[in-house]
Amino acid sequence: MSRIAACFAALAGKKALIPFITAGDPHPDLTVSLMHGLVEGGADIIELGVPFSDPMADGPVIQRASERALAHKVGLRHVLDMVAEFRKTNSTTPVVLMGYLNPLCAMGYAEFAKRAAAAGVDGMLTVDCPPEEAEELATALQQESIDPIFLLAPTTPLQRVAEIARHARGYVYYVSLKGVTGAGNLDIDDVARKIAALRQYIHVPIGVGFGIRDGATARAIAVTADAVVVGSRLVQEIEAATPETARERLTPLVAELKAAIS
Amino acid sequence: MDRYDFPDVRGHFGPYGGIYVAETLMAALAELNEEYARAKADPAFWEEFHYELKHYVGRPSPIYHAKRWSELLGGAQIYLKREDLNHTGAHKVNNTIGQALLARRMGKKRVIAETGAGQHGVASATVAARYGLECVVYMGAEDVKRQSPNVYRMKLLGATVVPVESGSKTLKDALNEAMRDWVTNVDSTFYILGTAAGPHPYPMLVRDFQTVIGEECKVQMPEMIGRQPDVVVACVGGGSNAIGLFYPYIGVDGVRMVGVEAGGDGVETGRHAAPLSIGKPGVLHGFKSYLMQDEDGQIIETHSVSAGLDYPGVGPEHSYLKDIGRAEYTAINDDEALKAFHDLCRYEGIIPALESSHALAWAAKTAPTMSKDQVILVNLSGRGDKDINTVASLSGLTL
C-alpha cells in the first residue's frame, strides 16, 4: 500500500490535515526542519511547493515564498534532495510535491519520476497540467508508484468530474473557490454542497484547499471533506518569523488546526 | 505543402499548444472554444468583423513599395504592409475587435488584458470604449514606467491600468496577473489575450483574426507586381502579426517565410528574447512551445530594446512551423533594429515601431544578397510614435 493510502487507512474516517510550505522558503537549510515541525504539530500529509518563476495560480503570499526560495536558486533537484533528507528520519508521512509543469518538463518526466521515487516522494500535484495533457506524466509517475494528484474546481462540470475520477490516484484536491491561493472569498456552504455532489463520482479521499485560514474554517470544511489543506496561512507565519523562530511558530499553529478538525 | 490543418481539436500544433491551465479555467476555455466555433460558422459574425475593420480600423491597409530604400540597399525590392496605418497604430486592433465581438456574444460586460509596450492594452481599451465594456489592463510596473504615454492613452479611453509588481515586473508577469484575475472573476469576465499564444483556443482565434493581414497581401501583391513575393518577413514576440501574415501563405509554394526574433545584445550574450533561436520546449502561460528557461525550468528574463518583443515564449504555431521547416526563424540585435528604424525614418518618411524594425533590419541585411527583380514583403506591424522616448534616450536625449 502506498504511503498516502496507508495514511488515510490509518485515519479510519478521521480527517487529515495537509499543511503546505514552499521548499526553500525562507532558506533551503530550514526546509527539512520545518517539515519535521509540521509532523510534530500533527500533519498527516505534507504538501511541499516546488518554487517556480511564474506561479500563475498563486496569490501574493505564495508568490513571495517562491521568490524567496528562488533567491537561493532552489530548483526541483534541490527539492528532491530535501525530501530524501526528510526521509532519513521519517518513513511514514506522505510527501506530495505541488508545483507547475515546466520544471518537470526541463528534467524530463521519466527522469523526474525515477528521482522522485528514490527520494521518497508519494504524490505530484501539477497545477497547470489538467488530465487532458497529463497522460505522459501520469504514466511516468505511476511506473514509479507515485500518485498523480488532480484538481477539481467549483467550475468543473459533473461530466468532467467523472472523467477526472478515472485518472485520480491518492486523493483529489478540490479548489474551494474561484480564485488564487490565499483568497478571502471562501463559501463553506457552497463547498459542502459541491463535495456532496463529487462523492457520487470520486472514490478516493477528497481534500479541500484555498482560503482556509484558521481553526474555525478548517473545522467547518472538515465536516464534509476528508482532508483539509492549509497553505497561505502557514506561509504567512513563516514570512512573519525570523529563520530562527519559523519552526517554533509553525508547529503550534499546525497543532491548533489539527485539533480543530479532530 | 499538401495539407496543413492545425490545431487539432485539443489545440495542438504537433507537440505544441494545448491547454495547460489550472482546473478552474478549463470550463471557461471550453465555453470560449464552443462560442468561437458557433461564431466562426456564423456569416453575420464575420460580416460585422469586416465592417468594423473597414470603417473603424481603416482596412484594407495598403502595401507600399519602399523604392528609395530598396535602391539604396541595392538588391531585392522591399514592400511594406502598412499595419502602422491602422486605427491605434498597429495590427493589435484586428484581434481586439474580434475578441470584443466574442465577449459581446457571450454576454460578458468586463474585459481584461495584459500588455507589454502598451499597444495591446491601448487596442483593448479602444474596443472596450467602442462596445461599452469595463476594461482592466495589467501591465508590468517596469513597463508602466517605460511606456507612460500609452498608460495615459489607456486611461483616456476609460480603462483601469494595474501595475504588476511581482516577478520581473514585465509582460510575462502581467500575463500571470491577468490569468489570476480571470480565475477569480471567470463568470463575468472575458480575457482579451493579445498574442497568438496562451491556452487553446487563443492561438487559433488570434491567428484567425490576424489572418486578414496575409489575406489582403495575397490579393494586393498580384495587383501590384503580378505575382506573390519571394519572401514574407515579420517580427516575432508572441507572434501574432507574423502568424497573421504567414498563415495564408503556408500552402503557397515558393514563398519563403521568415520570423525575426529580438536578439537584444546578441543571442550569444544571453541577453535577448529569442526562444525559437536558442530556447527549449516547455510549458508556460497555458501552452507548450519554445521558451527561454534555465536548466531548472525557471523562466529567464528577456532583454530587448522593443518592449513588445520582450517575452520569453512564442506562439505554439511558430514552434511547429519551425520544426517542420515551413518557416525559418532568426534574430536581429538591438543595434541592427535601431539602424533600420532610423533608415526608414530618413529614406521613406515612415517612423516604424521598434518591434517592426527587427523585420525591417532583416530585410535590409538580406536584400543586397538578392537580385533586383526579387521581392521581400515586410509586415510593418506598427508605427513608432510610441518609441520616440526610447530612441531619444538611447541617443542621449530627453524629450
Side-chain angles (χ1 to χ4, degrees):
Chain A
M1 195 189 289
S2 74
R3 272 191 212 100
I4 293 175
C7 168
F8 280 105
L11 281 165
K14 283 186 288 180
K15 305 308 167 100
L17 178 66
I18 310 182
F20 167 99
I21 57 172
T22 299
D25 171 39
H27 191 281
D29 293 346
L30 290 176
T31 301
V32 174
S33 166
L34 291 180
M35 289 170 77
H36 288 302
L38 296 174
V39 175
E40 206 179 293
D44 296 295
I45 296 172
I46 293 173
E47 278 187 6
L48 189 60
V50 181
F52 183 50
S53 52
D54 293 80
M56 270 183 356
D58 285 301
V61 170
I62 293 177
Q63 286 174 43
R64 288 196 299 269
S66 237
E67 286 174 15
R68 285 191 294 271
L70 289 172
H72 297 288
K73 309 262 179 234
V74 175
L76 184 54
R77 55 212 158 98
H78 308 108
V79 179
L80 295 178
D81 290 343
M82 291 171 192
V83 177
E85 184 63 30
F86 172 78
R87 279 278 170 258
K88 284 182 181 166
T89 48
N90 182 321
S91 57
T92 53
T93 308
V95 175
V96 172
L97 300 187
M98 184 167 184
Y100 295 82
L101 189 57
N102 200 52
L104 277 62
C105 292
M107 187 177 280
Y109 296 157
E111 176 69 14
F112 165 71
K114 209 171 70 188
R115 286 164 71 169
V121 169
D122 303 286
M124 179 73 223
L125 198 173
T126 318
V127 178
D128 56 350
C129 190
E132 285 85 345
E133 301 289 356
E135 195 183 327
E136 193 189 337
L137 174 61
T139 305
L141 292 173
Q142 286 181 39
Q143 268 170 10
E144 298 291 344
S145 302
I146 295 174
D147 290 328
I149 311 288
F150 288 106
L151 295 171
L152 294 168
T155 52
T156 309
L158 284 177
Q159 195 186 347
R160 197 175 147 74
V161 171
E163 178 60 21
I164 295 173
R166 292 200 310 114
H167 302 275
R169 301 286 181 277
Y171 59 96
V172 292
Y173 186 130
Y174 178 69
V175 176
S176 65
L177 49 81
K178 293 170 195 156
V180 292
T181 53
N185 51 330
L186 180 61
D187 177 344
I188 307 256
D189 294 336
D190 181 63
V191 172
R193 275 192 301 274
K194 289 284 172 36
I195 301 259
L198 297 180
R199 294 275 182 207
Q200 301 170 42
Y201 303 94
I202 302 288
H203 302 295
V204 292
I206 300 176
V208 174
F210 281 41
I212 301 168
R213 337 196 20 84
D214 51 28
T217 43
R219 184 182 304 121
I221 290 291
V223 171
T224 45
D226 301 307
V228 176
V229 187
V230 183
S232 295
R233 177 65 191 88
L234 301 181
V235 171
Q236 246 169 5
E237 199 67 19
I238 293 173
E239 190 168 44
T242 61
E244 293 73 31
T245 60
R247 180 169 172 173
E248 66 194 53
R249 287 180 66 159
L250 209 51
T251 304
L253 186 56
V254 172
E256 187 190 318
L257 292 162
K258 177 69 179 178
I261 65 168
S262 297
Chain B
M1 192 90 239
D2 307 334
R3 197 170 147 271
Y4 182 93
D5 186 16
F6 293 97
D8 67 16
V9 290
R10 295 211 338 244
H12 295 112
F13 301 86
Y16 304 111
I19 306 181
Y20 294 88
V21 297
E23 178 60 28
T24 311
L25 290 178
M26 291 301 287
L29 289 163
E31 188 197 1
L32 174 60
N33 196 30
E34 284 157 23
E35 188 59 38
Y36 179 58
R38 280 192 289 273
K40 203 171 175 173
D42 178 1
F45 177 79
W46 293 109
E47 200 180 308
E48 183 171 15
F49 177 65
H50 286 289
Y51 181 91
E52 295 290 273
L53 290 184
K54 181 175 176 188
H55 296 281
Y56 189 62
V57 176
R59 302 201 75 93
S61 63
I63 289 179
Y64 167 73
H65 182 191
K67 214 181 269 178
R68 204 160 101 82
W69 196 38
S70 303
E71 265 167 38
L72 275 159
L73 292 165
Q77 302 306 305
I78 298 175
Y79 285 72
L80 308 176
K81 176 63 172 167
R82 299 292 307 273
E83 291 298 301
D84 61 316
L85 295 177
N86 290 340
H87 177 44
T88 73
H91 73 290
K92 292 288 185 188
V93 72
N94 303 328
N95 169 48
T96 59
I97 285 179
Q99 291 199 43
L101 292 176
L102 275 178
R104 212 181 52 184
R105 276 178 77 103
M106 295 172 82
K108 309 277 184 184
K109 303 276 186 239
R110 178 176 182 267
V111 296
I112 56 172
E114 84 295 341
T115 198
Q119 290 307 96
H120 174 60
V122 168
S124 297
T126 298
V127 298
R130 163 80 184 79
Y131 299 111
L133 305 165
E134 181 194 347
C135 180
V136 177
V137 179
Y138 290 94
M139 188 169 186
E142 279 301 315
D143 291 332
V144 168
K145 270 188 264 169
R146 288 194 286 190
Q147 309 284 340
S148 56
N150 269 343
V151 173
Y152 187 58
R153 267 183 203 114
M154 289 184 261
K155 288 180 180 167
L156 284 174
L157 293 160
T160 304
V161 179
V162 182
V164 177
E165 299 283 355
S166 57
S168 57
K169 304 178 190 187
T170 60
L171 175 57
K172 78 176 177 71
D173 309 288
L175 221 153
N176 291 335
E177 207 55 37
M179 287 279 190
R180 291 180 190 120
D181 179 313
W182 199 28
V183 95
T184 306
N185 302 295
V186 62
D187 297 327
S188 67
T189 298
F190 188 102
Y191 180 15
I192 301 186
L193 214 154
T195 192
H200 179 66
Y202 282 106
M204 171 178 75
L205 66 90
V206 175
R207 174 196 73 192
D208 291 353
F209 294 141
Q210 292 295 358
T211 290
V212 65
I213 301 170
E215 294 292 356
E216 286 175 3
C217 292
K218 267 176 88 174
V219 175
Q220 290 166 319
M221 286 309 295
E223 283 171 4
M224 290 184 81
I225 62 168
R227 64 181 181 90
Q228 297 299 344
D230 298 284
V231 190
V232 294
V233 55
C235 63
V236 178
S240 69
N241 91 82
I243 204 67
L245 175 64
F246 291 178
Y247 188 67
Y249 280 106
I250 287 175
V252 180
D253 289 337
V255 177
R256 185 179 166 201
M257 308 196 302
V258 180
V260 184
E261 296 190 300
D265 293 343
V267 291
E268 69 288 350
T269 65
R271 292 173 51 84
H272 59 86
L276 286 167
S277 304
I278 208 159
K280 225 180 80 172
V283 171
L284 177 70
H285 294 150
F287 65 105
K288 185 179 275 188
S289 198
Y290 282 87
L291 294 180
M292 304 256 304
Q293 54 180 312
D294 68 15
E295 57 181 2
D296 284 330
Q298 309 295 351
I299 306 309
I300 52 185
E301 285 185 35
T302 52
H303 296 273
S304 170
V305 68
S306 125
L309 301 182
D310 220 343
Y311 181 63
V314 62
E317 193 157 16
H318 289 294
S319 289
Y320 184 64
L321 290 172
K322 170 191 159 79
D323 281 8
I324 63 170
R326 178 60 188 95
E328 51 196 289
Y329 296 88
T330 180
I332 282 288
N333 299 350
D334 285 352
D335 53 352
E336 298 169 300
L338 279 163
K339 181 173 188 312
F341 174 95
H342 287 293
D343 286 352
L344 206 73
C345 290
R346 298 296 292 270
Y347 299 128
E348 296 292 352
I350 296 171
I351 304 177
L354 282 174
E355 290 79 12
S356 324
S357 298
H358 287 71
L360 292 166
W362 184 89
K365 216 159 136 174
T366 311
T369 69
M370 295 167 67
S371 71
K372 289 192 176 183
D373 56 359
Q374 289 184 299
V375 169
I376 300 175
L377 174 61
V378 181
N379 197 9
L380 185 50
S381 55
R383 67 173 184 230
D385 305 52
K386 68 180 177 62
D387 294 315
I388 56 173
N389 287 305
T390 305
V391 175
S393 77
L394 287 168
S395 314
L397 302 169
T398 311
L399 301 183

